[in-house]
Amino acid sequence: MQLLISRFIIVCCFLPSAQFTYAQNTQNEMEVIEIEQQRTTTANYQLIQRSEFLASAQSLSDVLSTINGVQITQISGVGNPVNISIRGSSSKQVQLYIDGQLINDNQFGGFDLNQIPVEQIQSIEVSKSQAIGTGKTPIGGVIRVNTYNPSASQTRLSLAVGSFGFKEANLSHNIKLDTHALSLGGQFLKVKNDYDYIVPQTFDNSAISAKQPLRNNDYDKTALYINDQISLDAHNIRLNAQYTKQNKAIANYQNNSPENLSNLETKNWRAGYIHVWKSGSKRLSEVEFESYIDSKKEHYIDAQSSVIQRDYFYDTDKYFVSLKPTFVFDNITLLPYSNLAKQQFISEQLLNDQINICNGFSGCDVKAQQTDIHFGTRVEWQSEGLPLQSYLLANKQTSRSSNQKRNVSAEQIDQLKQDDSYSSYELGATTYFNAIKIELAFSKGIRTPTLFELYGDRGAFKGNANLAPEHSNTFMLASSYNKSALNITSSLYRTKQENAIVAIFNSTGTGSYTNVSDATLNGFELQIDYRFSSVWSTQLQANVIDSQTHSEFVAFDDKKLPGIYHQQYSVSLDYQLNEAWRLSLDTHIDKELYFNRTNRFNNTQAKGNGTPSDREISDFSVTWQNSQHTLSLQVNNIFNNDYQDLANRPAQGRSFQVKYSIKGL
């Protein structure tokens, strides 16, 4: 449902005309009207400000799903895994940063997209096929979340209720002092996720299937955070810390058993320090130092009955430091940088409270470590006499990793080690002709194998220490036209991916990760924003991808890439009734998603002309807002309850949410 409001806000902010919001002047208590500026956007980059999603967005994934070329698929229900793809990439090929901290897990490569509440977000940056600023160039793209930076003293409270037992409360308090901007807040969320689901073998009678409300699918989250921005002459210091506790019950989708006690509990805390020194010298503009520490503890309980219980404990600790000076030489800006990151992962398994002994047949507990050193330079050039600018980014990464089995006898101790070196780079240029902007870019992206892909051990499934990293070469040509009430952005790109890492099994049932295939993707993105009048506006989006794999393995050759929609179209209509009331209707059509590499779903195997994953979704929202109060209603997925989600299971269907916010308490 939040997808709808997010789209609606984004539509308004894309329009060349300004939109109205209200704010309270804390000094003289006079009501003033603020004018929202246009969103910063190019074909490859978008910056989404807090004002565009705060009023109603439920999660970060709702906001990201409004961006053309970004796809969000997930197992239905709040708190379940979310898969994100940028221009046909896998989720592991996308980098997620929170205030400069890379959240991707070195052990498995993924990240929790919705660990940070939207109330704590100041802005969201998205880059496609390129890095943001400095760092390693990704295959898919970068999502950077910048946490809240208050500009005035204020208290804000928001409450939300919705379908399937959804309840949420957010409270934040901001204190603005002479040299400090302090923000404290918390989020409390609870949802049953008891939507109707077709159970293959019902618990009462395994011979029949029936549609039932899901049991044991609850989710709750508590998040506490504190941010402090300190300004001291030439020094800007930012301190932030966050603690999050999540608990997700794992439903038994096969028979919907009421006895299932399986769940995943996650506790995570992180703390960061950013220090920017403005030197005041002619050549050395500034120096930025950044560091953070992050600790995550996961406890997965697999107890589908009262007889057997398996406990899995996963502890991950991260440490990071970075130094980045900025030099200016006339029309050239030089940003050399160096980063040091270290991560440690420890796992432990218990069977009915007994330690799992590593015997070669079952999965073994491990202690894995990895140290990465990144160094490189970004060079930006601005022509003095022509409307032309360009940049070059080059990055070098050296990695040292190790993996050691735990709970083994002394003679079985075997520590695996590996040293590797990788590089990536990108080059881009931009020029302007009146209202037309043209961009040209080339990038070489990389995704290095995760520690589990290298050293993993789950009984008959083993890692592969000889894996090569995944590579990509992307060429992109884009243009934009912005004049009066019309804004058009389009992009053509071609990506060649190499060395796709896939888990495969042989005829004996033994499995391992292998570099099995390459792929060629040709993509086209188009977005049109048009303002009919001062109250009516619309947005049209189209995203089309043609993919083909190439492999010496027949099962992986000449196939479409799985896990991504190859066609996406959407239209949004926005009506600003007056300064307080706003209505929005959004319809989007997604086609051609294949769940696996066999491409087993085709038009002849499903009802009608589509596949089980095809979806046509219409959302509606209405928002009322004045200087202190905001009330919104979102109705999501009004008509379609039939499409299937990321796990090839029926989605949750129609839902609603009501959200109320008050500020200036």
Side-chain angles (χ1 to χ4, degrees):
M1 289 175 296
Q2 302 304 325
L3 165 76
L4 172 61
I5 287 296
S6 301
R7 278 187 183 273
F8 141 58
I9 296 175
I10 291 171
V11 170
C12 297
C13 294
F14 263 136
L15 297 176
S17 60
Q19 305 296 325
F20 294 100
T21 59
Y22 292 90
Q24 189 76 20
N25 188 312
T26 57
Q27 295 181 350
N28 55 21
E29 301 300 321
M30 291 180 61
E31 181 180 280
V32 297
I33 296 179
E34 294 180 351
I35 304 299
E36 294 180 7
Q37 301 299 319
Q38 280 186 262
R39 170 186 293 187
T40 302
T41 179
T42 67
N44 266 20
Y45 172 85
Q46 288 193 349
L47 170 63
I48 310 171
Q49 297 290 353
R50 177 180 176 86
S51 59
E52 302 180 50
F53 55 79
L54 183 61
S56 55
Q58 176 178 304
S59 63
L60 175 60
S61 60
D62 291 334
V63 183
L64 295 173
S65 63
T66 66
I67 299 175
N68 203 12
V70 177
Q71 298 186 17
I72 301 291
T73 51
Q74 68 182 100
I75 300 174
S76 290
V78 180
N80 278 323
V82 176
N83 187 62
I84 184 167
S85 172
I86 298 180
R87 289 184 172 171
S89 73
S90 70
S91 196
K92 291 181 181 180
Q93 294 169 346
V94 176
Q95 300 173 3
L96 175 66
Y97 289 84
I98 298 180
D99 284 338
Q101 173 188 345
L102 183 62
I103 301 300
N104 294 65
D105 187 294
N106 282 14
Q107 182 68 17
F108 300 107
F111 50 82
D112 180 3
L113 185 63
N114 293 314
Q115 66 173 278
I116 184 167
V118 294
E119 298 275 343
Q120 192 192 345
I121 299 175
Q122 180 68 35
S123 63
I124 302 166
E125 299 176 76
V126 178
S127 177
K128 305 171 188 177
S129 306
Q130 297 173 343
I132 293 180
T134 59
K136 179 174 66 175
T137 297
I139 294 177
V142 175
I143 300 167
R144 174 171 174 135
V145 177
N146 304 303
T147 55
Y148 187 37
N149 183 18
S151 58
S153 297
Q154 180 179 266
T155 300
R156 174 184 170 86
L157 171 67
S158 69
L159 304 170
V161 295
S163 300
F164 315 118
F166 181 90
K167 299 176 183 177
E168 180 185 12
N170 288 275
L171 178 65
S172 62
H173 181 63
N174 309 325
I175 304 173
K176 184 70 174 178
L177 302 174
D178 290 340
T179 59
H180 290 261
L182 183 65
S183 176
L184 304 93
Q187 178 198 39
F188 310 93
L189 185 152
K190 190 175 184 64
V191 59
K192 290 184 178 180
N193 283 326
D194 55 347
Y195 56 89
D196 288 342
Y197 178 81
I198 300 176
V199 181
Q201 297 174 307
T202 58
F203 179 77
D204 298 325
N205 187 347
S206 61
I208 65 172
S209 63
K211 182 177 288 188
Q212 298 178 348
L214 271 179
R215 302 183 178 111
N216 309 307
N217 201 25
D218 300 34
Y219 171 72
D220 62 79
K221 179 172 71 170
T222 299
L224 305 173
Y225 61 89
I226 179 171
N227 300 325
D228 190 14
Q229 183 80 29
I230 306 171
S231 299
L232 298 171
D233 298 325
H235 300 269
N236 290 318
I237 301 172
R238 181 168 177 78
L239 306 171
N240 58 70
Q242 177 181 341
Y243 170 79
T244 304
K245 180 180 179 181
Q246 303 178 75
N247 191 76
K248 178 64 180 70
I250 310 298
N252 187 325
Y253 294 96
Q254 184 64 28
N255 64 14
N256 205 21
S257 168
E259 300 178 357
N260 182 31
L261 302 176
S262 301
N263 73 285
L264 174 63
E265 182 183 75
T266 304
K267 297 180 181 179
N268 179 262
W269 71 270
R270 63 180 181 85
Y273 172 82
I274 303 175
H275 190 151
V276 179
W277 170 57
K278 303 287 186 179
S279 70
S281 67
K282 182 178 180 180
R283 298 301 183 193
L284 179 61
S285 174
E286 65 179 38
V287 178
E288 177 181 310
F289 173 79
E290 182 177 3
S291 65
Y292 67 76
I293 181 172
D294 185 288
S295 179
K296 179 172 67 175
K297 297 184 180 297
E298 299 172 283
H299 179 198
Y300 172 52
I301 301 175
D302 183 8
Q304 299 186 17
S305 69
S306 59
V307 179
I308 298 178
Q309 175 173 316
R310 292 180 172 86
D311 293 82
Y312 302 85
F313 297 90
Y314 307 107
D315 294 347
T316 304
D317 295 306
K318 303 178 185 178
Y319 309 91
F320 174 86
V321 292
S322 171
L323 184 65
K324 183 172 65 178
T326 300
F327 298 93
V328 179
F329 302 92
D330 298 325
N331 59 340
I332 297 176
T333 302
L334 188 65
L335 295 92
Y337 62 92
S338 58
N339 305 334
L340 172 64
K342 183 175 182 179
Q343 185 171 140
Q344 176 176 279
F345 172 84
I346 298 176
S347 66
E348 184 173 73
Q349 307 172 54
L350 302 178
L351 175 59
N352 290 340
D353 295 327
Q354 299 298 314
I355 293 178
N356 180 69
I357 301 301
C358 181
N359 53 25
F361 299 100
S362 61
C364 296
D365 295 328
V366 300
K367 178 180 180 180
Q369 296 179 315
Q370 182 166 325
T371 301
D372 292 325
I373 298 177
H374 292 259
F375 57 90
T377 302
R378 182 183 180 96
V379 182
E380 299 177 349
W381 172 77
Q382 174 69 59
S383 173
E384 295 180 351
L386 298 173
L388 178 65
Q389 59 189 42
S390 64
Y391 83 97
L392 170 66
L393 172 63
N395 179 80
K396 185 74 172 181
Q397 172 187 351
T398 59
S399 296
R400 172 169 293 180
S401 61
S402 65
N403 188 88
Q404 181 176 330
K405 295 178 181 179
R406 304 177 65 231
N407 302 322
V408 297
S409 59
E411 59 271 15
Q412 290 179 307
I413 293 178
D414 182 21
Q415 186 175 31
L416 303 175
K417 297 182 179 181
Q418 188 164 312
D419 294 337
D420 294 292
S421 181
Y422 313 100
S423 62
S424 65
Y425 62 87
E426 54 192 74
L427 174 66
T430 304
T431 188
Y432 304 85
F433 302 95
N434 297 323
I436 299 176
K437 178 180 179 181
I438 297 178
E439 299 175 75
L440 185 67
F442 175 80
S443 61
K444 178 185 177 182
I446 189 172
R447 183 187 79 83
T448 57
T450 67
L451 293 175
F452 185 77
E453 290 169 340
L454 291 171
Y455 310 116
D457 187 348
R458 287 184 177 170
F461 186 86
K462 307 293 183 181
N464 180 0
N466 297 317
L467 285 175
E470 296 179 338
H471 282 284
S472 71
N473 292 305
T474 299
F475 176 81
M476 188 275 300
L477 175 63
S479 65
S480 61
Y481 174 85
N482 189 352
K483 190 172 183 180
S484 185
L486 180 63
N487 186 6
I488 303 175
T489 301
S490 63
S491 178
L492 283 168
Y493 61 90
R494 181 179 177 88
T495 299
K496 290 190 174 182
Q497 298 183 7
E498 300 176 359
N499 300 331
I501 299 174
V502 179
I504 61 174
F505 294 82
N506 60 27
S507 59
T508 65
T510 302
S512 179
Y513 285 104
T514 307
N515 297 110
V516 300
S517 64
D518 302 335
T520 302
L521 293 86
N522 297 304
F524 173 67
E525 295 172 8
L526 174 67
Q527 180 167 311
I528 301 174
D529 300 280
Y530 184 69
R531 176 173 54 84
F532 298 102
S533 67
S534 60
V535 296
W536 287 100
S537 59
T538 187
Q539 181 186 87
L540 306 175
Q541 287 185 347
N543 174 37
V544 180
I545 300 174
D546 177 58
S547 69
Q548 184 180 30
T549 61
H550 320 281
S551 176
E552 61 183 18
F553 297 88
V554 175
F556 297 89
D557 187 45
D558 195 22
K559 298 291 193 301
K560 299 288 187 181
L561 283 176
I564 62 170
Y565 286 101
H566 286 72
Q567 296 184 52
Q568 290 187 298
Y569 311 95
S570 71
V571 56
S572 301
L573 187 63
D574 184 81
Y575 179 56
Q576 185 77 46
L577 182 62
N578 53 40
E579 293 177 351
W581 289 93
R582 179 183 295 173
L583 293 85
S584 178
L585 178 64
D586 172 55
T587 297
H588 44 103
I589 301 172
D590 302 322
K591 293 184 175 182
E592 290 190 53
L593 180 145
Y594 300 93
F595 290 110
N596 56 40
R597 291 183 181 270
T598 64
N599 291 177
R600 69 169 180 261
F601 292 119
N602 57 54
N603 290 345
T604 63
Q605 293 176 301
K607 295 182 296 183
N609 295 320
T611 71
S613 62
D614 287 354
R615 57 187 185 187
E616 299 179 10
I617 299 176
S618 294
D619 304 328
F620 172 77
S621 71
V622 57
T623 302
W624 173 84
Q625 185 174 19
N626 69 9
S627 59
Q628 289 182 290
H629 306 271
T630 302
L631 181 64
S632 63
L633 167 66
Q634 303 88 43
V635 183
N636 189 48
N637 197 12
I638 301 173
F639 306 115
N640 185 355
N641 293 326
D642 297 328
Y643 71 90
Q644 292 178 301
D645 59 23
L646 178 63
N648 196 11
R649 293 195 288 260
Q652 65 182 13
R654 186 182 305 109
S655 60
F656 77 91
Q657 180 181 337
V658 177
K659 184 174 183 179
Y660 169 73
S661 302
I662 180 173
K663 62 181 181 179
L665 293 175

